[in-house]
């Protein structure tokens, strides 16, 4: 049965409003309307490098300054960015649901700025550094950075972004936390992710296999779309306030 977009929105809103527990997974697409380029979109390119060429331990080992220059560029963009209606809609949804978890692949911190609380940042945070020698994690909000590459305040060694790069593994406790959140939810909402980077890419499939209702919001179909219960094509900043509506959520649209 092919549903019109209005019917899909009504159905999703109904499923979400009746769910006793909700887990959300977000990707770069949710921050696109805040002006942060997605990784695989055209705006994600920097000096002709792809993210996949720079966000690796090998790239950092070869040229830490180059990798930090790229992060400095990204940090400049993120610093200017504000949460959009999609981030706010999720924060408000959490306010109405005691059993709510938000898993994000994003490193931009915009969910927290919007007021979300129960956040699992799978890939780290762009405002944190981790020392390559003593492993201390520090917050660093400098844009521009005082030195490139920046150094550890504790031991003076070079620090790296506290981000999970390609070829690295997400710390197991974080994956466990995400899987428990999926196991405990009734409805899973997946927003703005292409579904090509593991393990997040498989999380919606895990939810489906364990009997959850999975709703996807994306600009275009993804490789997992056919497995989900409902996919709504459109901008998350427009769709989420409608499907997460619970009275005040409408205030965004007035
Ligand atoms: P992606 O760029 O692969 O996909 C973005 C998705 O969002 C696309 O499917 C696109 O259609 C959709 N989209 C774009 N604008 C939208 C909008 N306004 N509303 C709804 N959907 C929209 O991003 P991803 O799926 O998050 O990539 C997976 C992860 O890979 C990233 O989140 C990131 O953590 C990781 N990654 C990390 C680095 C790094 O610096 N460590 C670099 C590259 C990728």
């Amino acid at each position: 049965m092919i549903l019109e977009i209005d019917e899909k929105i009504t159905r999703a809103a109904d499923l979400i409003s009746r769910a006793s527990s909700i887990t959300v997974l977000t990707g770069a697409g949710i921050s696109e309307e805040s002006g942060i380029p997605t990784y695989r979109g055209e705006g994600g390119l920097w000096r002709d490098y792809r993210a996949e060429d720079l966000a690796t331990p090998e790239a950092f080992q070869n040229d830490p300054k180059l990798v930090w220059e790229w992060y400095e560029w990204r940090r400049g963009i993120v610093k200017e960015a504000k949460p959009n209606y999609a981030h706010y809609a999720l924060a408000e949804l959490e306010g109405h649901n005691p059993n709510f978890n938000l898993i994000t692949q994003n490193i931009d911190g915009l969910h927290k700025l919007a007021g979300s609380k129960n956040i699992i940042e799978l890939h780290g945070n762009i405002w944190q550094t981790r020392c390559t020698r003593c492993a201390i994690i520090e917050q660093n909000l400098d844009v521009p950075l005082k030195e490139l590459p920046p150094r550890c305040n504790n031991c003076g060694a070079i620090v790296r972004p506290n981000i999970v790069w390609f070829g690295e593994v997400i710390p197991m406790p974080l994956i466990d936390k995400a899987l428990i959140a999926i196991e405990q939810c009734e409805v899973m909402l997946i927003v703005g992710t292409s579904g090509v980077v593991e393990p997040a890419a498989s999380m919606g499939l895990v939810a489906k296999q364990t009997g959850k209702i999975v709703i996807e919001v994306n600009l275009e179909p993804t490789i997992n779309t056919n497995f989900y219960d409902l996919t709504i094509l459109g901008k998350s900043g427009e769709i989420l306030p409608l499907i997460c509506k619970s009275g005040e959520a409408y205030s965004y649209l007035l």
Side-chain angles (χ1 to χ4, degrees):
M1 184 175 50
I2 297 173
L3 295 176
E4 296 296 328
I5 182 143
D6 287 354
E7 289 175 278
K8 288 185 175 184
I9 287 171
T10 307
R11 184 181 275 199
D14 186 48
L15 288 166
I16 289 171
S17 66
R18 285 193 287 124
S20 58
S21 50
I22 301 166
T23 292
V24 182
L25 169 67
T26 65
I30 197 170
S31 295
E32 187 265 341
E33 288 159 79
S34 294
I36 301 178
T38 59
Y39 297 102
R40 276 155 267 277
E42 266 179 35
L45 285 179
W46 172 79
R47 289 197 214 162
D48 292 335
Y49 291 96
R50 294 174 311 139
E52 287 91 332
D53 298 331
L54 294 164
T56 68
E58 294 77 23
F60 189 73
Q61 211 169 1
N62 289 343
D63 196 343
K65 188 161 177 276
L66 175 75
V67 172
W68 264 114
E69 280 170 357
W70 179 59
Y71 275 105
E72 185 165 57
W73 171 72
R74 291 197 71 86
R75 283 159 64 102
I77 295 170
V78 172
K79 192 163 189 177
E80 293 301 314
K82 294 186 173 52
N84 64 55
Y85 290 156
H87 296 104
Y88 286 120
L90 292 179
E92 187 171 319
L93 186 63
E94 180 173 5
H96 294 280
N97 286 275
N99 300 316
F100 181 97
N101 286 284
L102 173 53
I103 306 164
T104 187
Q105 299 166 85
N106 297 346
I107 53 176
D108 56 36
L110 290 185
H111 285 301
K112 192 170 173 208
L113 271 184
S116 287
K117 294 191 171 61
N118 232 351
I119 311 169
I120 303 166
E121 286 183 320
L122 276 187
H123 293 164
N125 189 296
I126 199 165
W127 301 114
Q128 290 176 353
T129 62
R130 190 167 81 239
C131 180
T132 54
R133 185 192 295 151
C134 72
I136 265 192
I137 295 172
E138 293 181 299
Q139 179 168 281
N140 179 326
L141 302 175
D142 298 339
V143 178
L145 289 154
K146 293 194 180 95
E147 56 179 337
L148 272 173
R151 291 189 171 269
C152 176
N153 288 320
N154 184 49
C155 75
I158 288 176
V159 296
R160 56 166 281 175
N162 188 32
I163 285 171
V164 179
W165 284 330
F166 291 102
E168 295 184 323
V169 286
I170 296 172
M172 212 48 214
L174 276 184
I175 296 187
D176 283 348
K177 228 175 143 184
L179 291 176
I180 289 169
I182 292 167
E183 189 185 309
Q184 289 174 343
C185 78
E186 190 182 327
V187 169
M188 182 164 184
L189 175 61
I190 300 183
V191 185
T193 177
S194 56
V196 296
V197 176
E198 293 293 356
S202 297
M203 287 184 176
L205 304 181
V206 169
K208 263 319 293 170
Q209 277 162 1
T210 49
K212 320 297 180 188
I213 296 165
V214 181
I215 303 168
E216 179 183 48
V217 176
N218 201 303
L219 275 186
E220 54 191 26
T222 66
I223 48 170
N224 293 331
T225 292
N226 287 342
F227 299 103
Y228 299 150
D229 296 281
L230 195 57
T231 290
I232 305 176
L233 299 183
K235 292 186 171 188
S236 51
E238 293 171 4
I239 305 291
L240 259 55
L242 295 172
I243 65 174
C244 300
K245 69 176 159 44
S246 53
E248 302 111 88
Y250 266 130
S251 60
Y252 303 128
L253 304 175
L254 297 175

